[in-house]
Amino acid sequence: MALQDLFKNMLFACLGMQEMLREFLEDLVKRGKMSESEAAKIINEFISKSEEAKEGFKENFKEMVQKTLQGMNLVTKDEIENLKSLINDINLRITKIEEKLKD
C-alpha cells in the first residue's frame, strides 16, 4: 500500500468517526441525555483535535520523507538548477572562445 493511500485511508477513517460521533450525539440529544449545545461543543472539540492531529501527522510525514530522501543521496532541485546555470555559463564561454578563434 502506497503512503498516499495510507494517508487517504486515515483521513476517511477520521471522517467516518466524525460522522459516527455526530450520529451518536444526535441520538443522545433526542433521548434527552445531552443538550444540543453540549453535543455541538463535543463535535467542535473533536474537529479541532482532528485538525491538530492531521497537521501533526502531515509534519511528521513530511519530515520522515525528507530524511528518507536525504539518506538516499538524491540530487535536489536546487542542485540541478545550479548545474544548469553552470552549464549555461560554460556554453557562453565556449561560444566566446569559438568566436575569438574564428577571427
Side-chain angles (χ1 to χ4, degrees):
M1 175 181 290
L3 290 176
Q4 185 177 8
D5 292 335
L6 178 63
F7 184 70
K8 283 181 186 177
N9 289 341
M10 289 177 62
L11 182 62
F12 290 142
C14 184
L15 292 174
M17 288 178 63
Q18 181 179 339
E19 186 58 31
M20 288 173 56
L21 177 62
R22 187 181 311 271
E23 289 172 4
F24 175 73
L25 293 175
E26 285 175 2
D27 184 52
L28 289 177
V29 170
K30 285 178 187 175
R31 292 191 288 151
K33 302 286 184 182
M34 179 180 285
S35 71
E36 286 186 24
S37 63
E38 290 173 318
K41 181 180 177 185
I42 291 171
I43 289 171
N44 289 336
E45 286 178 13
F46 179 82
I47 291 170
S48 176
K49 297 274 185 199
S50 295
E51 284 297 317
E52 290 173 15
K54 181 177 82 171
E55 289 303 315
F57 176 79
K58 283 171 59 176
E59 284 300 315
N60 289 337
F61 183 75
K62 182 178 178 181
E63 185 178 314
M64 181 183 70
V65 169
Q66 287 175 341
K67 285 181 180 179
T68 301
L69 292 175
Q70 287 172 351
M72 296 173 71
N73 292 322
L74 298 175
V75 178
T76 66
K77 186 176 182 179
D78 288 340
E79 291 172 326
I80 291 172
E81 292 302 318
N82 288 339
L83 287 174
K84 284 181 181 179
S85 177
L86 182 61
I87 290 169
N88 287 336
D89 289 345
I90 292 170
N91 280 333
L92 286 174
R93 289 180 184 176
I94 290 172
T95 301
K96 287 180 182 178
I97 292 171
E98 288 175 341
E99 289 174 359
K100 284 183 182 179
L101 289 176
K102 287 181 184 177
D103 293 337

